[in-house]
Amino acid sequence: MAVHFISSESVSEGHPDKLADQISDGVLDACLAVDPTSRVAVETAVKSNLVLVAGELTTRARPDISGIIAETIERIGYTDAAFEDSFACAPGNLQILTALVRQSPDIAQGVDGEGLDEQGAGDQGMMYGYACNETPELMPVSIAMAHRLTLGTTQARRTGLIRGLRPDSKSMVTIGYEDGRPRAVSTVVISVQHDPDVDIENELRAALMQHVVLPALPPDLDGDKVRFLVNPTGKFVRGGAFADAGVTGRKIIVDTYGGVGRHGGGAFSGKDPSKVDRSAAYAMRWVAKHVVASGAAARCEVQIAYAIGVAQPVSIMVETFGTENADPNKIAKVISELFDLRPAAIVRDLDLRRPIYGKTAKYGHFGRQDPDFTWEQTPRATAMASALGLS
């Protein structure tokens, strides 16, 4: 019996890196809402009451950067006067620096074409997509549960279900596997920012266990011997950008598959869909999910690579880890027949020029049941199954 363990982590929307991601995607959405052809590549850094927004904008829109920052902070919940000792980045108390210029013409010439063959990739690089049949959303169970925990802390805070919670939280879940299948939850770690007067031992830990942790345990996995670590260091009053700096794109494994599937290295937030770091990674999730949803494999990872300014991919790789129910070479051939993976075709087929990205910047870009997340839909699964001779 082969036994191994996999751990995945998640962070809440109040984590400083996620604050930075949400500001960057807020700028992107503001541009796309006015000009769907906007070219945006925006990075944000936050520390205490300083916010730096830098990058490239080529757009007819005139985004209100200060307003986007203030709205993001307020929506997350860092506005209460009680946060003065833990988070200085509140509206009215901000130092905002911007360094925004137009997209380099050297890059623009490779992506300005109108046709499917004329619009090339916005950069070189490789992107990965992954899917597996461990959960209904076809995600690894470790990252799916980790996201449920951090989302659960946010919901408990917003509804008042648990007293004294603040916006910053983190989780990590370890799953035990036997012969390649998840069998048991091994360890759950959750750390939640809180008010100074909260009784951690007698109040906070018990409430988090009752309302957040236990409801997130998958019913089909063994949970009898779970090691629970709830606020293991004890006090967690200072959080957000006061306790740590935040930078766009620093949580790419949280954003994707929790370390189970590989990652090409490119971040998503703040980038318009002409950047294949984002759009092709979404397309690869779309393709991999179709493979699993069609019954062609229990696990699938797809890699694609592009050269800057070139529409056709340099390479496509399909890996099914020995779980396939059809010839892997035939799976790859059917993918090429069903999916047009030129950048402009991806943007067209997934309808990516919409202001939908702010909500992708928290609790993962994949595995979400939201109609705007078109890359999570599998309308071609039946056609794939039929082409592979699967019932």
Side-chain angles (χ1 to χ4, degrees):
M1 180 187 303
V3 179
H4 69 280
F5 296 87
I6 292 176
S7 297
S8 298
E9 72 164 342
S10 176
V11 299
S12 72
E13 61 202 64
H15 187 281
D17 291 330
K18 282 286 125 190
L19 170 61
D21 283 344
Q22 290 168 85
I23 292 171
S24 294
D25 271 336
V27 175
L28 172 61
D29 281 348
C31 292
L32 292 176
V34 174
D35 179 5
T37 66
S38 296
R39 298 283 167 74
V40 179
V42 171
E43 312 283 345
T44 301
V46 296
K47 178 57 185 172
S48 299
N49 65 334
L50 173 66
V51 183
L52 168 64
V53 179
E56 296 80 50
L57 292 178
T58 302
T59 179
R60 296 192 302 272
R62 294 294 179 265
D64 176 7
I65 304 299
S66 297
I68 292 166
I69 293 169
E71 186 278 330
T72 302
I73 292 170
E74 183 176 2
R75 173 170 40 80
I76 291 172
Y78 283 122
T79 54
D80 194 295
F83 294 150
E84 290 178 0
D85 67 340
S86 63
F87 192 83
C89 193
N93 187 33
L94 298 175
Q95 299 177 47
I96 298 174
L97 299 176
T98 60
L100 297 168
V101 299
R102 290 180 62 84
Q103 183 181 54
S104 164
D106 297 344
I107 296 174
Q109 66 180 347
V111 295
D112 278 344
E114 295 296 329
L116 293 176
D117 283 317
E118 285 72 40
Q119 183 176 328
D123 201 353
Q124 72 171 41
M126 64 281 189
M127 302 83 207
Y128 286 90
Y130 182 84
C132 62
N133 63 1
E134 294 177 11
T135 63
E137 60 268 38
L138 304 186
M139 288 287 284
V141 66
S142 53
I143 187 65
M145 183 177 171
H147 285 321
R148 285 200 295 272
L149 290 170
T150 51
L151 180 58
T153 65
T154 298
Q155 292 171 335
R157 172 175 60 88
R158 292 190 185 281
T159 62
L161 184 62
I162 299 178
R163 184 186 73 85
L165 297 187
R166 291 183 173 183
D168 198 352
S169 69
K170 302 178 75 171
S171 70
M172 187 167 67
V173 175
T174 302
I175 301 295
Y177 285 71
E178 293 181 2
D179 297 324
R181 295 298 302 170
R183 300 300 183 194
V185 181
S186 173
T187 305
V188 173
V189 183
I190 185 167
S191 298
V192 185
Q193 186 189 14
H194 58 82
D195 290 344
D197 62 346
V198 168
D199 185 336
I200 299 170
E201 292 293 336
N202 300 312
E203 181 182 355
L204 181 63
R205 284 178 175 150
L208 287 170
M209 285 293 299
Q210 177 184 353
H211 297 298
V212 177
V213 177
L214 294 177
L217 292 175
D220 56 332
L221 297 185
D222 182 3
D224 292 339
K225 298 179 181 178
V226 185
R227 183 187 184 197
F228 296 107
L229 299 172
V230 180
N231 275 41
T233 63
K235 182 180 179 182
F236 182 10
V237 173
R238 291 195 172 192
F242 188 88
D244 194 7
V247 181
T248 296
R250 199 157 59 181
K251 287 292 179 284
I252 57 176
I253 301 303
V254 171
D255 285 343
T256 52
Y257 309 103
V260 177
R262 285 176 283 189
H263 197 294
F268 303 153
S269 290
K271 296 178 181 176
D272 78 84
S274 73
K275 280 72 173 174
V276 285
D277 275 342
R278 182 168 220 160
S279 56
Y282 288 0
M284 291 304 95
R285 163 65 176 170
W286 193 43
V287 170
K289 193 170 183 182
H290 271 84
V291 172
V292 177
S294 70
R299 295 173 60 202
C300 180
E301 181 180 77
V302 187
Q303 185 210 59
I304 198 165
Y306 293 93
I308 187 169
V310 179
Q312 289 290 348
V314 172
S315 66
I316 301 174
M317 178 274 292
V318 181
E319 172 62 70
T320 50
F321 308 96
T323 69
E324 65 275 359
N325 296 311
D327 184 332
N329 291 325
K330 190 172 182 181
I331 294 174
K333 181 175 184 294
V334 170
I335 288 172
S336 68
E337 293 169 350
L338 291 180
F339 298 94
D340 188 341
L341 297 175
R342 291 172 292 178
I346 291 172
V347 171
R348 176 199 66 196
D349 292 344
L350 293 178
D351 194 13
L352 295 180
R353 293 204 173 278
R354 297 168 293 139
I356 60 170
Y357 297 102
K359 54 188 171 182
T360 70
K362 51 190 176 182
Y363 311 115
H365 292 245
F366 306 127
R368 306 269 296 276
Q369 301 305 309
D370 185 307
D372 283 333
F373 288 47
T374 50
W375 51 93
E376 292 297 313
Q377 300 168 19
T378 54
R380 305 176 189 180
T382 300
M384 178 173 283
S386 177
L388 293 170
L390 302 170
S391 59

